[in-house]
Amino acid sequence: MTQTLHRAGGSQHVLRLPSTGMPVDLLGRRLTDLRISVTDRCNFRCVYCMPREIFGRDYAFLPRDELLTFEEIERVVRAGMRLGVHKVRLTGGEPLLRKGIEELVGMLAALRTPSGDPLDIALTTNGSALAVKAEALKAAGLNRVTVSVDSLDDETFRRMNDVGFPLERVLHGLDAAHEAGLGPIKINMVVKRGQNDDDVLAMAEHFRGTGYVLRFIEFMDVGTTNGWKLDEVVPSREIVERIAAVHPIEPVAPTAPGETAARWRYLDGEGEIGVISSVTQPFCSSCNRARLSTEGQLYTCLFADHGTDLRALLRGGADDDSLTDAIAGVWSARDDRYSELRSSATPDIRSRRKKIEMSYIGG
Ligand code: SAM
Ligand code: SF4
Ligand code: SF4
């Protein structure tokens, strides 16, 4: 079976679709999104992600030659596009620390799906370098950004990023992203009981009416080093209740299948919030995301304990068809639904599972 992959600028690649066509996993889910970790490094040490006791001065980050090159990433994306991928999110680590990231954005923006559409390209960032990079990213073809902001209280913000990074600089970055047209902008707030849960209402009120969509994320047990405890998770239901008590809200139907956030809108028309309830209301049944790690492992779940080494294929001379077939094979065998199983797993089983760290697998 052949398929034409169009590229911007007129050139075309004639490609053969794998015999499986668009793969469906063992639970009937399609592959539509690819999250790509472009670096395992970060200038923050967020307490829930890269605790400084583990990611200290002598922590061994990946050497440069172990990272996928931009050309290698582009090849994986092209292969994914033949299988249904139409949305890509660049993440990490801190993606804006990857040198020349705009160049990768440009390469991805030039690709076209088999039906001739451009990719939807998003990037999740801590915002620290956005003031400098926003315009260049937009010019390269980035569609939108999600910026992580855990508090509007500078002291809490600095404590949570654990490197004393000032809130004001991230807010400047947000302004720059807005001015560059990298919207609709989403804000991610990871809510951790006893750390920043008192800031939920202030965050909601700050972003109400701005056009930014604030999403509250339940603290998750990604990796094995973030000291996750169930009693530090603030259930989304509680967050919704706290906001609704002051500003009435109603649920909004999802616009696309596989949306991670449940959406709510203010009754007075001042915009929307989202809640990502990976712990208390898992959404595995519609999860259509694969993840490509910094060194080219393909993972089919955020909580995976093993991946498939695409870098070995890429560097071993595999052609586009073999690469596409390999990804289709992995997806077809997928049965992940960790978040649905988490509550039934004992703490012992959870702690023995050797999950991959968030900064490496890509949040
Ligand atoms: N460095 C970028 C940033 O912070 O936005 C991108 C990578 S970060 C791993 C992606 C997202 O994952 C961020 O919004 C972050 O807050 C979230 N995250 C990290 N660790 C988490 C955890 N344990 N539970 C829930 N969300 C987490
Ligand atoms: Fe860095 Fe993002 Fe992880 Fe914070 S959440 S440590 S900014 S990768
Ligand atoms: Fe998807 Fe895994 Fe998260 Fe379930 S636990 S929603 S399968 S990434």
Side-chain angles (χ1 to χ4, degrees):
M1 190 176 180
T2 60
Q3 183 117 30
T4 306
L5 185 72
H6 304 271
R7 290 176 126 228
S11 64
Q12 294 183 342
H13 290 267
V14 178
L15 301 171
R16 189 177 55 81
L17 266 181
S19 48
T20 47
M22 300 284 174
V24 172
D25 76 7
L26 295 174
L27 301 176
R29 300 167 294 189
R30 293 205 177 272
L31 170 60
T32 60
D33 293 21
L34 184 62
R35 299 193 176 204
I36 305 170
S37 174
V38 294
T39 176
D40 58 335
R41 291 166 196 261
C42 189
N43 54 336
F44 284 15
R45 287 293 176 272
C46 299
V47 291
Y48 49 74
C49 178
M50 296 178 77
R52 61 164 59 251
E53 312 80 68
I54 309 287
F55 295 87
R57 278 191 187 285
D58 46 5
Y59 184 82
F61 289 100
L62 291 170
R64 200 180 160 75
D65 61 351
E66 301 230 344
L67 271 53
L68 286 192
T69 64
F70 291 165
E71 287 71 20
E72 289 168 337
I73 293 174
E74 190 217 27
R75 281 196 66 198
V76 175
V77 173
R78 276 202 280 128
M81 288 168 77
R82 295 165 68 192
L83 302 170
V85 169
H86 54 78
K87 208 168 141 188
V88 159
R89 178 170 295 277
L90 302 177
T91 178
E94 174 45 43
L96 299 188
L97 293 188
R98 177 79 187 254
K99 209 165 157 225
I101 184 75
E102 307 83 340
E103 199 188 314
L104 174 64
V105 170
M107 289 162 75
L108 301 181
L111 299 176
R112 294 291 176 269
T113 64
S115 50
D117 297 318
L119 278 171
D120 179 19
I121 310 172
L123 178 144
T124 304
T125 173
N126 62 24
S128 58
L130 257 186
V132 183
K133 296 243 175 197
E135 260 184 45
L137 288 165
K138 179 68 186 178
L142 185 68
N143 296 112
R144 54 209 164 75
V145 288
T146 297
V147 183
S148 302
V149 182
D150 291 330
S151 176
L152 287 168
D153 175 75
D154 188 54
E155 200 178 309
T156 308
F157 185 78
R158 288 173 189 252
R159 195 172 56 239
M160 287 195 76
N161 66 51
D162 211 14
V163 292
F165 198 90
L167 171 69
E168 207 186 334
R169 280 179 59 192
V170 172
L171 296 181
H172 281 151
L174 260 181
D175 291 343
H178 177 70
E179 278 158 31
L182 288 169
I185 294 176
K186 292 179 189 156
I187 312 288
N188 278 356
M189 174 184 183
V190 175
V191 186
K192 210 177 158 194
R193 178 119 29 224
Q195 296 257 355
N196 64 341
D197 56 323
D198 285 347
D199 301 336
V200 163
L201 191 58
M203 285 282 289
E205 292 187 332
H206 181 85
F207 290 108
R208 244 169 71 80
T210 61
Y212 298 166
V213 178
L214 172 61
R215 291 128 43 98
F216 299 95
I217 306 181
E218 290 180 347
F219 173 38
M220 296 186 285
D221 52 334
V222 192
T224 46
T225 61
N226 73 359
W228 185 83
K229 292 191 209 79
L230 185 58
D231 58 12
E232 288 176 338
V233 177
V234 181
S236 293
R237 171 177 290 278
E238 184 180 325
I239 289 171
V240 165
E241 282 168 4
R242 282 200 216 173
I243 295 170
V246 185
H247 302 286
I249 48 180
E250 64 179 4
V252 185
T255 43
E259 260 179 8
T260 49
R263 298 160 57 203
W264 294 78
R265 109 177 108 219
Y266 293 108
L267 292 187
D268 61 6
E270 289 296 305
E272 275 189 21
I273 59 162
V275 286
I276 301 180
S277 322
S278 167
V279 179
T280 63
Q281 291 162 56
F283 36 82
C284 300
S285 61
S286 60
C287 180
N288 45 20
R289 289 173 297 279
R291 293 180 150 83
L292 182 64
S293 80
T294 318
E295 58 178 348
Q297 293 278 334
L298 181 70
Y299 293 102
T300 53
C301 179
L302 180 55
F303 301 93
D305 58 1
H306 67 279
T308 300
D309 189 358
L310 295 186
R311 191 184 65 188
L313 281 180
L314 289 159
R315 295 189 184 174
D319 64 11
D320 286 344
D321 285 344
S322 317
L323 187 61
T324 308
D325 283 344
I327 299 171
V330 168
W331 191 264
S332 305
R334 175 187 193 236
D335 64 355
D336 304 277
R337 53 187 197 101
Y338 176 83
S339 288
E340 286 179 355
L341 300 173
R342 175 198 284 113
S343 47
S344 53
T346 63
D348 184 42
I349 291 172
R350 278 204 308 263
S351 63
R352 268 192 280 130
R353 183 169 173 150
K354 186 82 190 101
K355 293 173 293 181
I356 317 297
E357 296 304 318
M358 183 74 130
S359 49
Y360 172 83
I361 197 169

